[in-house]
Amino acid sequence: MSAPREAKKRTTRRKKDPNAPKRALSAYMFFANENRDIVRAENPGVTFGQVGRLLGDKWKALTDEEKQPYEAKHAADKKRYESEKELYNATKA
DNA sequence: ACTCTGATTGTTCGC
DNA sequence: GCGAACAATCAGAGT
């Protein structure tokens, strides 16, 4: 536990920081980017309800090796975020 | 010092 | 256009 996102109305949050250093995308984001093509291609007709859940299920189905390409993407994106962070504390200060 | 929560990221789909 | 499940995540804030 640590993040009980049960009824946490999380949707299009808002920025509270001065320059809002938006975080980096998650591995899931990259994964979804490629999966949306595959999953939907393999499951023609499945709506967000199905694909969405199926996607997450498959996501974990992958192993660290599978996630590697996605994690790598996230790592690259994270660096991008670092730039924001830098400018953030640089501007905010 | 340690912990936690909040904020954020992108997809799909329908209305 | 937005909201909502799906998952990750990271950093700052609070205790």
Side-chain angles (χ1 to χ4, degrees):
Chain A
M1 315 62 172
S2 303
R5 63 307 261 169
E6 292 176 22
K8 281 283 190 190
K9 284 149 52 142
R10 58 120 284 300
T11 10
T12 28
R13 242 67 173 200
R14 37 119 125 73
K15 61 169 172 197
K16 60 171 181 68
D17 288 291
N19 26 62
K22 332 262 197 150
R23 316 260 320 281
L25 278 77
S26 264
Y28 195 83
M29 301 298 101
F30 307 99
F31 166 85
N33 261 277
E34 305 227 347
N35 297 93
R36 93 197 128 116
D37 276 61
I38 321 300
V39 179
R40 234 186 121 220
E42 298 243 316
N43 308 276
V46 290
T47 33
F48 165 47
Q50 280 66 253
V51 182
R53 246 155 85 161
L54 181 91
L55 229 147
D57 185 72
K58 293 185 85 167
W59 164 244
K60 290 214 197 136
L62 309 172
T63 23
D64 295 278
E65 293 129 71
E66 265 61 66
K67 299 192 292 171
Q68 253 182 25
Y70 311 106
E71 286 182 335
K73 279 272 197 192
H74 158 14
D77 203 87
K78 186 176 163 273
K79 284 175 190 162
R80 175 92 247 127
Y81 168 73
E82 276 184 48
S83 294
E84 305 179 59
K85 218 169 24 109
E86 202 187 304
L87 180 112
Y88 162 63
N89 78 76
T91 0
K92 91 151 189 217

